[in-house]
Amino acid sequence: MNHSIKNVLIVGGGSSGWMAAAVLARFFSKQIQIQLVESSEIGTVGVGEATIPPIRTFNDVLGIKEADFLKQTMGTIKLGIQFENWSQPGDSYMHAFGEIGRNLGIAGFHHYWLKARQAGVAEDFWRYSLNEQAARHNRFAPMETIPGTQFPGLTHAYHLDAGLYAQMLRAYSEKLGVKRIDGKIQTVDKDSESGDIAAVQLESGERLEADLFIDCSGFRALLIGEALDVDFEDWSHWLPCDRALAVPSEAAETITPYTRAIAHEGGWQWRIPLQHRTGNGLVYSHRHLSDDEATHTLLSNLDTPALADPRPIRFKTGRRVQQWCQNVVSLGLSSGFLEPLESTSLHLVQQGLTRLIKLFPRNGIQPSDIEEYNRQSQIEFEKIRDFIILHYHLNSKTDSPFWRMCREAPKPESLLRRIDLFAGSGRVFREQDELFSETAWEQVMIGQGITPQDYHPLVDNLEDHQLREFMNSWQRIVDKTVAQMPSHNDFIASLK
Ligand SMILES: Cc1cc2nc3c(=O)[nH]c(=O)nc-3n(C[C@H](O)[C@H](O)[C@H](O)COP(=O)(O)OP(=O)(O)OC[C@H]3O[C@@H](n4cnc5c(N)ncnc54)[C@H](O)[C@@H]3O)c2cc1C
């Protein structure tokens, strides 16, 4: 294609479709006509309610204020994810957002903690995490409201009602001129010469043409999968869960500012607290847990009474080998899926959109732009994949075929290299622009049972008494700051 893009058609009105509409309208509404087609008869996947901190940048770019966002999506604050029973039954640790303690020069805080721990002068690793301590005490406050604190801010994300979020983004997009069409796509027409998608044909007979198509059609992958036949790289040998049940339950009295991920036989359960309800679900491998057993496990482990029957969802973990092909960019479930253990899917939509805006063609779609988009997407998906596998791999449960298989099945080399490095000398490196920080990797590796054999030699520059004082002072700073925060419930109530 060697002409500029005048029309974009977004296919699908789930979270990814409306995120795409909002961002494209925010940047290009003056130059491009943007349409979105969705089928209210088909509906959306209806899950995807836990996020990670970069979502705040997404909202900032759109000019959405935190208080408005939380009110409109019945949202709550998320400071991390509490993993329960993952390494051994009864274990619990948090992947808390933000830093833990303070790095001294080149050596990360955890090296100091490792030595202090050996010397018996350190507490649990998370005792030095502002996020974890605030979460444990159900507290939250914007940092500017805490006098005299040494912290720049709490690194937080949100829990949100996905349906309300889509509604909010729809209103935003329509205000900027996005045209919504409710209709079911029956056929997809291709240009026989270029191989590009030319138009989609609706059941009503309406034909929608565009220069660029954004495939947000969910697991159906109408354009990227069905019409363009782009291969799906299956990762289920590494991440064997393939089904989920989702059920809302009544809101809890105490709204905890963190997600819970509770390991069970054959899978794990999520618990996402919102203002008006709690989102729950069980992610499982159908080869290890029957649907009936899964339903029983989920319903017998709810904290509050269920508000509906569990809804089944089937999925396959993996990714499209080309997420941008011809004149189709796929986003959301059509582009691939990594199970929701670390709440990364909406983030991947956000990243896809950022990449698309950066590579947006001015005068025709260049193959080199497509190649770069696909190269970056592949790296991003693979790094997140390894982080998720890590949780399954490092378990020491002996009485469960599912968990034994997760531990013993072959793993990507890239992951095994990281584990070896950390187990030997406590070192971990964030690679390129990968999402998860060193602190995130440290928490999951320590939480899942690795104690590195050594720490960085720079730590020995501190005298024993200095090391003890360093650890104690961080604990005092964290305690003092958390003590000044209101409860999370009070923070949410203050928004009304
Ligand atoms: C069990 C589970 C839990 C998850 N939890 C999280 C989480 O905690 N955090 C997170 O970030 N993500 C999570 N996700 C992922 C998240 O739900 C999705 O990334 C997100 O909802 C985006 O979905 P989507 O918009 O791509 O697809 P969908 O929501 O499925 O939307 C597809 C759209 O395409 C339309 N469509 C399809 N076919 C046609 C047709 N023929 N004609 C017209 N329209 C059509 C549909 O009507 C719909 O509007 C989870 C996913 C699953 C499966």
Side-chain angles (χ1 to χ4, degrees):
M1 185 197 277
N2 57 6
H3 61 84
S4 63
I5 289 176
K6 299 264 185 296
N7 305 286
V8 173
L9 180 69
I10 298 164
V11 171
S15 303
S16 64
W18 285 113
M19 284 171 81
V23 167
L24 290 173
R26 159 79 179 75
F27 288 100
F28 289 115
S29 62
K30 287 195 186 133
Q31 300 179 39
I32 294 171
Q33 193 203 17
I34 304 162
Q35 302 193 93
L36 182 148
V37 58
E38 64 174 315
S39 160
S40 45
E41 190 187 318
I42 294 175
T44 67
V45 72
V47 279
E49 307 205 312
T51 63
I52 51 177
I55 192 171
R56 295 172 60 207
T57 309
F58 183 82
N59 285 347
D60 282 351
V61 165
L62 297 182
I64 297 172
K65 299 249 179 330
E66 180 167 88
D68 293 339
F69 169 82
L70 289 170
K71 269 189 264 183
Q72 288 188 47
T73 62
M74 294 303 250
T76 62
I77 297 294
K78 174 176 172 185
L79 297 173
I81 306 172
Q82 180 161 290
F83 291 94
E84 300 172 28
N85 308 331
W86 277 79
S87 172
Q88 287 277 11
D91 279 3
S92 174
Y93 71 92
M94 186 171 287
H95 166 196
F97 303 140
E99 296 304 315
I100 294 191
R102 182 163 58 90
N103 298 343
L104 284 184
I106 282 175
F109 176 82
H110 72 287
H111 288 287
Y112 293 88
W113 174 79
L114 284 168
K115 180 174 182 185
R117 186 80 169 161
Q118 277 176 17
V121 295
E123 304 269 341
D124 177 273
F125 190 41
W126 289 268
R127 199 62 190 74
Y128 308 92
S129 158
L130 180 66
N131 270 52
E132 202 266 358
Q133 290 297 306
R136 182 170 295 285
H137 294 93
N138 291 319
R139 290 176 187 238
F140 176 77
M143 264 312 125
E144 60 274 14
T145 62
I146 300 187
T149 180
Q150 303 195 21
F151 292 100
L154 268 173
T155 309
H156 63 279
Y158 311 112
H159 303 118
L160 54 89
D161 179 319
L164 296 176
Y165 190 43
Q167 267 178 37
M168 180 180 180
L169 294 177
R170 176 180 161 185
Y172 177 97
S173 309
E174 287 182 328
K175 216 165 157 186
L176 288 176
V178 174
K179 184 177 167 210
R180 171 184 179 268
I181 300 135
D182 190 346
K184 197 164 164 188
I185 296 169
Q186 204 166 37
T187 52
V188 179
D189 299 345
K190 278 197 334 197
D191 181 289
S192 55
E193 225 171 84
S194 66
D196 279 354
I197 302 292
V200 298
Q201 193 93 38
L202 305 186
E203 266 183 0
S204 63
E206 193 177 354
R207 187 180 142 87
L208 304 172
E209 294 181 357
D211 301 317
L212 180 71
F213 291 81
I214 314 290
D215 187 349
C216 298
S217 63
F219 288 127
R220 289 171 193 84
L222 278 181
L223 307 184
I224 200 86
E226 287 184 17
L228 295 181
D229 208 18
V230 172
D231 281 347
F232 185 88
E233 190 178 337
D234 185 346
W235 287 340
S236 48
H237 52 295
W238 285 321
L239 290 166
C241 289
D242 56 1
R243 288 191 188 177
L245 291 168
V247 69
S249 69
E250 285 177 15
E253 220 166 276
T254 300
I255 309 174
T256 49
Y258 55 90
T259 308
R260 284 174 69 197
I262 309 149
H264 290 300
E265 181 66 42
W268 63 275
Q269 179 179 347
W270 77 74
R271 181 181 168 284
I272 298 176
L274 299 175
Q275 294 180 40
H276 58 320
R277 61 171 166 79
T278 305
N280 309 274
L282 192 86
V283 174
Y284 61 102
S285 153
H286 86 279
R287 285 179 301 282
H288 297 87
L289 201 66
S290 71
D291 295 339
D292 286 346
E293 286 168 322
T295 307
H296 175 75
T297 304
L298 176 60
L299 293 180
S300 51
N301 284 291
L302 298 180
D303 291 347
T304 50
L307 295 169
D309 289 332
R311 198 164 48 80
I313 302 166
R314 292 184 179 197
F315 59 83
K316 202 197 289 178
T317 295
R319 69 171 194 104
R320 293 277 156 207
V321 294
Q322 289 170 285
Q323 298 188 339
W324 182 344
C325 175
Q326 301 278 147
N327 62 340
V328 174
V329 178
S330 58
L331 289 172
L333 300 173
S334 66
S335 68
F337 181 57
L338 285 163
E339 60 146 281
L341 189 59
E342 284 282 351
S343 325
T344 41
S345 292
L346 294 178
H347 174 74
L348 286 166
V349 176
Q350 175 182 346
Q351 286 292 94
L353 283 163
T354 306
R355 200 169 291 132
L356 175 59
I357 298 294
K358 285 185 180 165
L359 289 166
F360 206 86
R362 197 183 72 78
N363 191 17
I365 298 174
Q366 305 295 336
S368 52
D369 289 342
I370 298 184
E371 205 175 297
E372 183 58 20
Y373 183 99
N374 288 330
R375 193 187 67 79
Q376 292 184 16
S377 309
Q378 176 179 354
I379 295 172
E380 185 162 54
F381 260 70
E382 287 176 352
K383 298 271 180 270
I384 296 175
R385 174 201 69 195
D386 283 4
F387 190 62
I388 295 175
I389 299 173
L390 176 71
H391 301 65
Y392 285 97
H393 175 55
L394 293 180
N395 82 80
S396 37
K397 291 183 257 213
T398 50
D399 58 347
S400 154
F402 172 77
W403 290 101
R404 203 175 314 125
M405 182 197 72
C406 290
R407 183 172 60 246
E408 290 169 2
K411 298 292 169 307
E413 271 305 312
S414 46
L415 173 60
L416 295 176
R417 210 174 44 241
R418 282 200 190 219
I419 294 175
D420 280 353
L421 184 66
F422 188 72
S425 60
R427 285 163 231 241
V428 59
F429 295 93
R430 189 179 203 161
E431 290 174 9
Q432 294 159 359
D433 290 335
E434 80 171 298
L435 170 61
F436 290 107
S437 66
E438 281 102 348
T439 313
W441 282 89
E442 287 156 19
Q443 290 180 75
V444 177
M445 289 199 270
I446 293 171
Q448 297 278 150
I450 296 185
T451 304
Q453 285 165 15
D454 209 351
Y455 56 83
H456 198 286
L458 280 172
V459 174
D460 290 331
N461 286 344
L462 285 193
E463 303 286 341
D464 287 353
H465 73 274
Q466 289 175 315
L467 180 63
R468 192 179 313 118
E469 179 46 28
F470 177 54
M471 302 309 290
N472 288 345
S473 66
W474 266 97
Q475 201 174 318
R476 284 196 301 271
I477 291 167
V478 168
D479 287 352
K480 192 173 154 220
T481 307
V482 172
Q484 294 182 78
M485 294 179 187
S487 75
H488 179 230
N489 276 51
D490 286 348
F491 169 75
I492 295 290
S494 74
L495 300 171
K496 290 180 179 145

